[in-house]
């Protein structure tokens, strides 16, 4: 389907009756996903958002439940997940990362009710990348700047209009019968194809072939002594990564009301694994750095037959000491 | 969908100071809701998160017998500076706490059936081994010979002293108690666990060994088990890692591709040798 750019506002305003809208909003630090009131206050990001779309499903901080204790019991109130959401402007790498987080939080076995409810309530409106950034390498990892995994709709910017690919029933329900949309013609499809080929042609590549098999036997390799050295353990790479999902659980008491909180945490921090006895199974930054790489490129593959990196390049762009995961991967595949 | 983060409300019915240095207390918890008590069942070796409201949660191995349905017991070592263990040690009988569980896999008790079981414990890690011993005693005819070897630094640091005295009198288990340093009136052995194990030399034919204790004890016990002929598939251990969710999601207890909270905490020595030694 096709929607002309001047009709997008009408479409979004029409959605407001049934959905809350989340879109990239500019902040001092960079664009992040936040609730918006329809047409204004947000923009499609050039490149990608600073924090990934995972934040909408696994917020950086969230209340799981509150409680009040008394002499003879405790009253627990579960936090409710807000109603239906349309999430705008998700790049294909971030959308694909959701399918990986699904395996952790909404897979076989015990499910996380908060994450699962948000996934069920949220329509993901993807935005294809006509201009991949210099740090993007999604195609090396099975993704694509026009990839559709995790999207309900994929929008392709054709200049004065968007081509809208309908991918799921949920996506279909959003656009079906809406007057802002018209059927796509051959010229629209051809224009999109040309953009896709252009984007694919400009995409950087990283040698990742055989990385998993290499890692199977590189745990004790001296390689790790070299690659981690500059790392400050700041955790930026893990917080910004769309597939990292470690968290902490803590209690706070506010005016007698107990609050059970979940907050992002990271394997890059020394306290993450510190035992109460004082023993730490990952005592230095070397072991922590290795854990981050091993988890994405080996352990996750062992468990789910998929690499837990979508090649979004955030960890490369925002690392304060310029550690480049592409170089680490190159070194592993050469090792 | 059942919310796995919500605690069951429990009352602390009884607090027992276990050791002379008062660093270990056993908390006997009862369910506030009958339905919770009826739904709660566990396998020895499983653990639970105990929630001290306003302070936080910490994982503890379930120390009571699975056949006792209305109580759940934990024996807690107070960690200096530790938030939850200190709060528990300051708690009083009648206080309300939360419980999330049972979590983890537990000991492979079905595989133990028809076999001899050698239980080897050191220090305060004897908690889930107590649960296992009660389970075997309650289903005695399903298992072969039961040997329990339990050691502590000194007699005053042994847990569950009354129960040990009662077990001592039974003829359906062999209980061997040992301490590093004896004192007047001490009737048990004197010597470290690995040495006493070597001396007792339980038969490895058709037997499982279950080992829980401080890292140093484990390190010297494993070679003795090997010498006695226990294959790594029949040596059972329980791991401790820092934990939060207990559900395989928060990432904290990850070792290799396993999550100790979900895939463990019980592993065979053979399974552990496949994992990176990051614990
Ligand atoms: C499966 C399993 C079973 C267990 N069974 C038992 C059992 O039966 N009995 C038992 O007693 N224990 C058991 N444990 C261990 C028990 O869970 C820990 O002792 C407990 O979690 C400590 O909690 P805490 O809140 O008291 O300590 P915490 O407050 O979490 O802190 C403990 C220590 O961590 C460090 N630390 C934490 N936060 C910080 C910080 N911000 N800055 C610096 N240092 C910090 C400090 O060294 C501190 O002393 C078990 C653990 C597992 C995983
Ligand atoms: S590891 Fe880096 S490139 Fe890969 S998904 Fe995470 S932030 Fe993006
Ligand atoms: S962003 Fe860079 S310095 Fe910070 S933890 Fe990650 S690799 Fe280390
Ligand atoms: S404790 Fe959260 S993954 Fe094991």
């Amino acid at each position: 389907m096709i929607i002309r750019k001047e009709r997008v506002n009408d479409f979004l305003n029409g959605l407001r009756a049934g959905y809350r809208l989340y879109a990239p909003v500019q902040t001092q630090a960079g664009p992040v996903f936040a609730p918006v009131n329809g047409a204004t206050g947000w923009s499609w990001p050039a490149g990608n958002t600073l924090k990934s779309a995972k934040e909408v499903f696994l917020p950086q901080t969230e209340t799981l439940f509150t409680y009040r204790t008394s002499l003879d019991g405790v009253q627990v109130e579960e936090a409710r997940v807000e109603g239906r959401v349309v999430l705008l402007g998700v790049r294909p790498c971030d959308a694909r990362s959701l399918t990986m987080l699904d395996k952790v939080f909404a897979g076989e076995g015990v499910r996380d009710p908060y994450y699962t409810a948000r996934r069920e309530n949220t329509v993901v409106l993807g935005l294809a990348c006509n201009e991949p950034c210099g740090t993007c390498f999604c195609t090396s990892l099975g993704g694509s700047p026009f990839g559709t995994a995790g999207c309900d709709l994929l929008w392709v910017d054709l200049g004065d209009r968007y081509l809208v690919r309908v991918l799921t029933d949920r996506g279909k329900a959003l656009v079906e019968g809406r007057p802002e949309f018209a059927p796509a013609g051959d010229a629209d499809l051809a224009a999109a194809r040309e953009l896709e080929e252009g984007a694919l042609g400009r995409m950087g590549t990283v040698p990742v072939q055989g990385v998993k098999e290499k890692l199977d036997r590189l745990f004790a390799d001296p390689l790790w002594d070299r690659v981690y050295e500059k790392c400050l353990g700041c955790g930026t790479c893990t917080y910004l990564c769309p597939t990292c999902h470690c968290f902490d659980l803590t209690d706070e008491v506010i005016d007698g009301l107990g609050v059970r909180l979940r907050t992002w945490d990271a394997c890059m921090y020394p306290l993450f694994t510190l035992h109460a006895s004082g023993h730490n199974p990952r005592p230095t930054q070397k072991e922590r750095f290795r854990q981050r790489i091993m988890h994405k490129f080996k352990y996750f593959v062992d468990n789910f037959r998929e690499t837990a990196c979508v090649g979004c390049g955030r960890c490369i762009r925002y690392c304060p000491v310029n550690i480049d995961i592409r170089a680490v991967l190159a070194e592993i595949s050469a090792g | 969908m059942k919310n796995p983060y919500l605690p069951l409300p429990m009352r602390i019915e009884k607090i027992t100071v276990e050791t002379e240095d008062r660093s270990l207390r056993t908390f006997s918890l009862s369910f506030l809701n009958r339905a919770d008590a009826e739904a709660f069942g566990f396998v020895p070796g499983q653990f639970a998160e105990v929630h001290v409201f306003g302070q936080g949660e910490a994982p503890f191995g379930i120390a009571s017998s699975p056949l006792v349905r209305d109580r759940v017991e934990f024996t807690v070592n107070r960690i200096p500076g530790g938030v939850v263990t200190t709060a528990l040690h300051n708690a009083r009988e009648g206080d309300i706490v939360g419980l999330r569980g049972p979590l983890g896999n537990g000991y492979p008790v079905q595989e133990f059936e028809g076999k001899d079981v050698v239980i080897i414990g050191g220090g305060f890690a004897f908690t889930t081994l107590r649960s296992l011993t009660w389970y075997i005693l309650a289903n005695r005819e399903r298992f072969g010979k039961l040997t329990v070897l339990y050691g502590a630094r000194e007699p005053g640091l042994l847990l569950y002293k009354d129960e040990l005295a009662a077990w001592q009198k039974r003829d359906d288990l062999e209980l061997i108690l040992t301490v590093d340093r004896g004192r007047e009136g001490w009737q048990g052995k004197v010597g470290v666990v690995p040495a006493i194990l070597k001396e007792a030399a339980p038969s490895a034919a058709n037997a499982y060994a279950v080992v829980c204790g401080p890292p140093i004890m484990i390190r010297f016990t494993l070679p003795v088990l090997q010498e006695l002929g226990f294959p790594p598939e029949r040596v059972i251990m329980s791991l401790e890692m820092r934990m939060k969710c207990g559900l395989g999601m928060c990432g904290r207890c990850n070792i290799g591709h396993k999550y100790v909270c979900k895939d463990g905490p019980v592993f065979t020595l053979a399974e552990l040798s496949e994992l990176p030694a990051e614990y």
Side-chain angles (χ1 to χ4, degrees):
Chain A
M1 281 200 274
I2 284 290
I3 180 169
R4 300 204 60 81
K5 283 196 172 166
E6 62 270 19
R7 304 295 310 273
V8 171
N9 285 349
D10 294 341
F11 168 60
L12 295 182
N13 282 329
L15 291 178
R16 283 169 63 190
Y19 297 91
R20 290 169 52 104
L21 303 181
Y22 275 72
V25 170
Q26 194 61 46
T27 68
Q28 238 171 7
V32 296
F33 288 96
V36 295
N37 271 327
T40 54
W42 64 278
S43 53
W44 304 108
N48 211 340
T49 48
L50 171 67
K51 289 200 272 179
S52 83
K54 83 174 171 193
E55 196 181 17
V56 176
F57 304 92
L58 184 71
Q60 186 157 356
T61 303
E62 75 178 300
T63 296
L64 298 185
F65 58 88
T66 56
Y67 55 85
R68 257 179 219 287
T69 48
S70 59
L71 280 181
D72 50 351
V74 55
Q75 262 186 310
V76 174
E77 192 164 336
E78 217 176 324
R80 241 174 295 144
V81 168
E82 62 189 28
R84 299 193 297 168
V85 170
V86 170
L87 178 58
L88 305 171
V90 180
R91 294 296 188 181
C93 53
D94 279 11
R96 183 163 172 249
S97 77
L98 299 175
T99 66
M100 298 172 182
L101 295 179
D102 286 349
K103 298 191 164 129
V104 177
F105 292 109
E108 293 158 27
V110 179
R111 292 174 156 212
D112 184 279
Y114 307 93
Y115 175 91
T116 309
R118 291 195 186 98
R119 279 289 275 151
E120 281 165 3
N121 289 349
T122 306
V123 190
V124 177
L125 206 150
L127 177 64
C129 298
N130 295 351
E131 283 302 332
C133 307
T135 44
C136 293
F137 59 108
C138 61
T139 50
S140 301
L141 293 157
S144 159
F146 279 56
T148 56
C151 297
D152 294 297
L153 297 170
L154 182 72
W155 291 40
V156 183
D157 188 341
L158 299 180
D160 57 353
R161 63 202 191 282
Y162 292 99
L163 174 74
V164 177
R165 287 204 182 122
V166 179
L167 302 158
T168 63
D169 288 345
R170 210 157 50 169
K172 191 171 165 192
L174 213 61
V175 296
E176 203 172 44
R178 294 291 315 221
E180 297 86 4
F181 294 87
D186 287 346
D188 303 316
L189 297 175
R193 215 170 305 122
E194 197 175 314
L195 286 168
E196 181 170 358
E197 274 157 25
L200 286 170
R202 286 189 295 280
M203 184 63 74
T205 55
V206 180
V208 292
Q209 250 122 28
V211 160
K212 154 77 169 97
E213 291 69 26
K214 293 269 165 62
L215 287 177
D216 284 344
R217 52 178 178 74
L218 283 182
F219 187 84
D221 200 86
L223 159 96
W224 305 108
D225 296 318
R226 296 193 298 277
V227 292
Y228 92 96
E229 264 186 321
K230 287 193 292 181
C231 177
L232 308 170
C234 69
T236 302
C237 50
T238 44
Y239 274 43
L240 298 185
C241 177
T243 68
C244 276
H245 57 80
C246 289
F247 60 81
D248 196 3
L249 295 169
T250 49
D251 275 37
E252 257 177 32
V253 183
I254 301 160
D255 291 337
L257 182 73
V259 185
R260 187 79 176 143
L261 291 170
R262 162 153 73 185
T263 42
W264 289 355
D265 204 343
C267 62
M268 296 306 249
Y269 299 143
L271 291 182
F272 191 67
T273 47
L274 181 66
H275 287 204
S277 64
H279 168 66
N280 195 339
R282 293 201 277 270
T284 74
Q285 203 56 30
K286 171 181 143 182
E287 292 84 23
R288 294 168 212 139
F289 192 91
R290 176 175 62 195
Q291 169 68 12
R292 175 171 159 253
I293 302 292
M294 281 284 184
H295 186 254
K296 293 186 179 307
F297 294 92
K298 168 171 160 56
Y299 306 152
F300 203 87
V301 187
D302 283 332
N303 286 330
F304 302 116
R305 309 259 150 265
E306 196 169 18
T307 302
C309 167
V310 292
C312 73
R314 285 186 179 87
C315 59
I316 306 167
R317 277 201 298 289
Y318 298 104
C319 174
V321 294
N322 296 320
I323 290 181
D324 189 332
I325 196 167
R326 294 171 298 186
V328 177
L329 291 171
E331 197 156 340
I332 292 166
S333 53
Chain B
M1 190 187 310
K2 213 174 141 265
N3 187 332
Y5 293 100
L6 299 184
L8 306 177
M10 310 288 286
R11 173 177 282 113
I12 301 178
E13 290 291 343
K14 190 157 177 281
I15 301 175
T16 311
V17 177
E18 292 284 354
T19 54
E20 283 173 1
D21 67 355
R22 308 183 69 79
S23 66
L24 283 137
R25 290 173 195 233
T26 296
F27 298 85
S28 186
L29 312 181
S30 66
F31 295 87
L32 286 190
N33 301 328
R34 260 222 86 67
D36 291 344
E38 276 157 20
F40 193 89
F42 70 96
V43 179
Q46 284 192 293
F47 68 98
E49 290 277 350
V50 176
H51 194 167
V52 180
F53 293 112
Q55 303 291 327
E57 283 182 339
F60 300 105
I62 304 177
S64 46
S65 164
L67 290 108
V68 177
R69 296 308 299 254
D70 52 344
R71 294 284 179 95
V72 187
E73 292 185 356
F74 301 94
T75 301
V76 176
N77 180 32
R78 192 176 73 78
I79 305 285
V83 175
V84 176
T85 56
T86 304
L88 274 171
H89 273 251
N90 292 335
R92 283 192 242 152
E93 290 175 357
D95 285 359
I96 307 292
V97 295
L99 180 136
R100 231 158 34 83
L103 301 166
N105 58 354
Y107 296 118
V109 285
Q110 243 119 44
E111 290 174 39
F112 294 173
E113 292 190 10
K115 311 254 182 356
D116 293 353
V117 182
V118 182
I119 292 175
I120 304 159
F124 71 86
F126 194 67
T127 58
T128 58
L129 298 180
R130 174 208 194 201
S131 176
L132 177 63
T133 304
W134 277 123
Y135 176 87
I136 294 176
L137 289 175
N139 301 283
R140 195 63 196 86
E141 70 291 350
R142 289 200 238 145
F143 302 89
K145 185 173 178 341
L146 173 62
T147 308
V148 178
L149 165 56
Y150 175 27
R153 265 179 290 138
E154 42 196 89
L157 294 180
L158 289 165
L159 304 176
Y160 320 124
K161 292 181 193 67
D162 293 349
E163 287 176 22
L164 295 177
W167 288 352
Q168 201 73 275
K169 298 198 189 97
R170 294 177 71 136
D171 56 10
D172 55 355
L173 89 164
E174 186 187 354
L175 178 66
I176 306 168
L177 297 177
T178 183
V179 292
D180 298 356
R181 282 179 307 258
R183 64 164 68 150
E184 234 176 78
W186 172 246
Q187 307 263 307
K189 306 258 181 198
V190 176
V192 294
V193 167
I196 304 299
L197 174 67
K198 199 166 178 165
E199 184 185 300
S203 163
N206 202 34
Y208 270 90
V210 187
V211 197
C212 265
I216 179 112
M217 180 203 102
I218 306 262
R219 178 142 39 99
F220 290 103
T221 299
L222 293 180
V224 178
L225 287 172
Q226 194 183 9
E227 252 171 70
L228 293 171
F230 284 87
E233 295 76 24
R234 286 197 267 115
V235 175
I236 310 290
M237 304 199 337
S238 184
L239 291 192
E240 269 190 28
M241 284 290 270
R242 231 182 130 108
M243 290 184 181
K244 286 287 175 175
C245 69
L247 309 167
M249 294 176 186
C250 78
R252 208 166 280 260
C253 68
N254 181 218
I255 305 173
H257 68 292
K258 298 282 188 196
Y259 290 87
V260 174
C261 68
K262 173 168 78 78
D263 304 313
V266 175
F267 295 95
T268 66
L269 183 57
E271 287 168 334
L272 286 182
S273 64
E274 299 283 303
L275 294 179
E278 229 175 14
Y279 45 87

